[in-house]
Every structure is written in structure tokens, then in C-alpha cells.
Amino acid sequence: MNTTRPTTTRAVHLASRPDGVPTQDNFRIEEISLPELSDGQILVANDVMSVDPYMRGRMNDVKSYVPPFQIDQPLDGGVVGTVIESRSEGVPEGSHVVHQLGWREHAVLNADDARIIDTDIAPASAYLSVLGMTGLTAYAGLTRAAEMKAGDVVFVSGAAGAVGSMVGQLARLLGASRVIGSAGTDAKVARLRDLGFDAAFNYHDGPATKLLGQAAPDGIDVYYDNVGGDHLEAAINHLNTDGRVAMCGAISQYNSVEPPCAPRNLGLAIGKRLTLRGFVIAKYAEEVRPEFQQKMAQWLANDEIHWDETYRDGLDAAPKAFIDMLEGANTGKMLVRL
């Protein structure tokens, strides 16, 4: 344990709201104070933090399913760390925990807002990906939002990202007859094949609808959407009757300064009887988590699930890690070691 308790720490603040693509100027690192603990609180030395696409939306001052970040205030997000001081019997010093006060090197929080993790089962970082919200989002999106069933042909966009790579593997384990993914580089396409995807394509190689048609000559039944835009349009073209779309993200539009056009072929949804369902994990988390944890533990024990991580080092690198993630520089989860 640390013998000297820190009284201050460094945190990344939102310096200004991005206009389009975020830049380093939108972030500022400042020193903040760490108050003395009250009963029921813990002090955590953060070890690894996550940067995620949804955070881009929180940088805009608009009403959404999560509150926007505030100018001149620290950002937050998923992080794992080690408890170095505790006034909670339930979370003793030395515990490894996951919580939501990321984007800073230390955090003071209520013990009820942290969850103890078992690093003997998996590395701490796994609780930000395969064992955390990433894996839960992939599973809930497939089984609840998309109502996937055995025998379905499943297409996932952004398939080399943290959620997308999990979706493809879960679809295969849940009995999909064919799993197809799109990604932005040939190396990522090759990685998808290593992960068990039946087909994958580099969306830079041509129109998405043409490439998807080649990969799915008999159409698709489920589309797990992380990208939006031309990928959603392509999926609508190739969805079979009664096809389903789980709309998880639209990363192709997050930095747009002009409102995006709707898919030009949306009218096809009528005759095909398509279901397009947007979702956020909060809708399903409580219901799905026990089922997910039970199945994921078994899949991990059988070495049937694999996950990738892309790292940047140090809090100073966090803004650039976030910017790089939005530009597709990561394979799997983009993480920052603190």
C-alpha cells in the first residue's frame, strides 16, 4: 500500500466543445484536490481507463440518455483501479475495483459506486471490455434488441472495435449460420477471420452495399449497427423479410457538423417488414447481466472468446487516444494505462 496519501491528482477537463472532429485543444489537464474520505467512501488509484465512442456525444451540449460533459469540469468514464484508502468495510484497501470516475489518476467516490473485481479470473482491463459494459452491450444488443435466433445470418459493422468484435464471436456461439463483419483496414479484416467470422470486408474497397452483397449472397437476418450511414443503407438493401436491426451506434456521424441524411432506401423496410430498434444498455442491463455473466464465464473457461486491446500510456495521452479511437486507430478496446 502507498504510505503517503495523495492530496491532489491530475484530471482531464473539457476545455471547449468540439466543432466537428475533436482536437487536443478541446481538452486540458489540471490538478484537482482529493478531499478527505467520509464514511462509506474510498480513494482509488486508477490503473487503466477506457475511451469510448459514446463520449463524443457527451461533448455536445444536447439532451441525451446520459448528461453532457460540462466545460471546465473533469470528464468521466469506465476505469479500473486499486483502493489505496477506505472507510468502507465492504471495499477494503487493496481491492481492485471498476467504477466510472475515469479520465483522472485518482478518484474519491462512494464505495457503493464501485464494484470489486476478481483479477484471478481475468486481467483488470477485461472488466472494461469482455467482462464489462462492452460485452454486456454486445450480448444484450444481439439477444434482446435484435432478437437473434439460431440460424440467423448476422452482419456487424465496426466489427474490429470493442463491441463489434464481441458481437461477431457471440453471434457464432449463439448459433448464427453465418457471421459477417466490416472494418477499415485489411489487417483488421484478417483479424476478424482469426476471430471466427465467416466473411469480412474492408469498407474502403468499394460501396458498402456491393461488398455486403458479395459477403452475404443469400441476404442477412440481423444487422448490428455501430456505424450508421452507408452501412445502415447497405444492410437495409440486403436484409431478408422480417430482418432486424439493433442500432447501437453511428460512429460515421459523430463528428458531422451537418445533420445526416436518413438512409435513402428506408421505404424498403415496409415491404420487408423490418424492425429497426435503437437501444442503450441501460434498458437491458439489470435483466440481462446475470444471464450474460453466467454464459460469459463458461465461454472464457472454454477459451471460446477472445478480445483485443489497444493501449496508450499516461493521462497526457488520453485525449489523443480518444481522438485516435474515433478515427479507427484501435483494434478492440482503446485503453489508457495511467
Side-chain angles (χ1 to χ4, degrees), residues 65-95:
Y65 64 94
V66 284
F69 294 128
Q70 297 301 307
I71 301 292
D72 297 326
Q73 294 296 317
L75 287 77
D76 59 67
V79 64
V80 291
T82 306
V83 177
I84 60 174
E85 184 181 355
S86 176
R87 292 189 61 179
S88 167
E89 292 184 0
V91 186
E93 293 182 11
S95 301

Side-chain angles (χ1 to χ4, degrees), residues 125-279:
S125 60
Y127 290 87
L128 297 173
S129 57
V130 60
L131 288 171
M133 207 59 72
T134 296
L136 187 61
T137 299
Y139 184 82
L142 272 177
T143 62
R144 301 311 195 267
E147 300 178 353
M148 185 208 145
K149 46 189 191 299
D152 281 342
V153 177
V154 176
F155 169 49
V156 54
S157 57
V163 171
S165 59
M166 202 59 51
V167 168
Q169 295 179 79
L170 292 177
R172 174 175 49 80
L173 290 166
L174 292 169
S177 62
R178 186 169 176 81
V179 180
I180 302 156
S182 69
T185 69
D186 290 343
K188 290 182 178 181
V189 167
R191 178 55 180 158
L192 295 181
R193 294 185 181 279
D194 291 341
L195 292 174
F197 283 67
D198 297 289
F201 61 85
N202 182 339
Y203 58 78
H204 294 297
D205 287 346
T209 191
K210 176 183 177 181
L211 296 169
L212 178 57
Q214 292 170 347
D218 296 321
I220 61 174
D221 303 298
V222 167
Y223 172 45
Y224 195 110
D225 189 15
N226 292 308
V227 172
D230 64 336
H231 278 67
L232 179 55
E233 188 169 281
I236 291 172
N237 275 339
H238 294 287
L239 277 160
N240 295 322
T241 301
D242 294 321
R244 287 136 282 140
V245 179
M247 301 175 70
C248 180
I251 197 168
S252 68
Q253 300 163 197
Y254 289 164
N255 292 326
S256 298
V257 295
E258 296 294 333
C261 294
R264 295 167 294 183
N265 58 350
L266 193 56
L268 292 177
I270 301 169
K272 291 186 175 188
R273 307 194 303 252
L274 304 182
T275 298
L276 281 71
R277 178 176 288 144
F279 80 99

Side-chain angles (χ1 to χ4, degrees), residues 7-196:
T7 57
T8 63
T9 194
R10 297 193 310 149
V12 179
H13 288 57
L14 185 65
S16 58
R17 299 197 183 279
D19 181 18
V21 180
T23 69
Q24 295 272 18
D25 291 338
N26 297 128
F27 304 88
R28 182 175 63 249
I29 296 178
E30 292 191 1
E31 190 167 327
I32 60 174
S33 62
L34 291 171
E36 294 295 325
L37 299 187
S38 301
D39 287 342
Q41 289 189 319
I42 57 175
L43 171 61
V44 181
N46 289 335
D47 298 319
V48 181
M49 59 167 270
S50 174
V51 293
D52 301 291
Y54 81 90
M55 295 174 178
R56 176 62 185 85
R58 296 188 67 191
M59 293 179 180
N60 300 327
D61 190 14
V62 296
K63 184 177 180 180
S64 185
Y65 64 94
V66 284
F69 294 128
Q70 297 301 307
I71 301 292
D72 297 326
Q73 294 296 317
L75 287 77
D76 59 67
V79 64
V80 291
T82 306
V83 177
I84 60 174
E85 184 181 355
S86 176
R87 292 189 61 179
S88 167
E89 292 184 0
V91 186
E93 293 182 11
S95 301
H96 300 287
V97 296
V98 59
H99 63 91
Q100 288 297 310
L101 289 184
W103 292 88
R104 64 201 81 188
E105 292 170 333
H106 301 81
V108 170
L109 65 151
N110 294 328
D112 290 344
D113 293 328
R115 178 167 58 92
I116 294 178
I117 58 177
D118 186 350
T119 55
D120 290 331
I121 295 175
S125 60
Y127 290 87
L128 297 173
S129 57
V130 60
L131 288 171
M133 207 59 72
T134 296
L136 187 61
T137 299
Y139 184 82
L142 272 177
T143 62
R144 301 311 195 267
E147 300 178 353
M148 185 208 145
K149 46 189 191 299
D152 281 342
V153 177
V154 176
F155 169 49
V156 54
S157 57
V163 171
S165 59
M166 202 59 51
V167 168
Q169 295 179 79
L170 292 177
R172 174 175 49 80
L173 290 166
L174 292 169
S177 62
R178 186 169 176 81
V179 180
I180 302 156
S182 69
T185 69
D186 290 343
K188 290 182 178 181
V189 167
R191 178 55 180 158
L192 295 181
R193 294 185 181 279
D194 291 341
L195 292 174

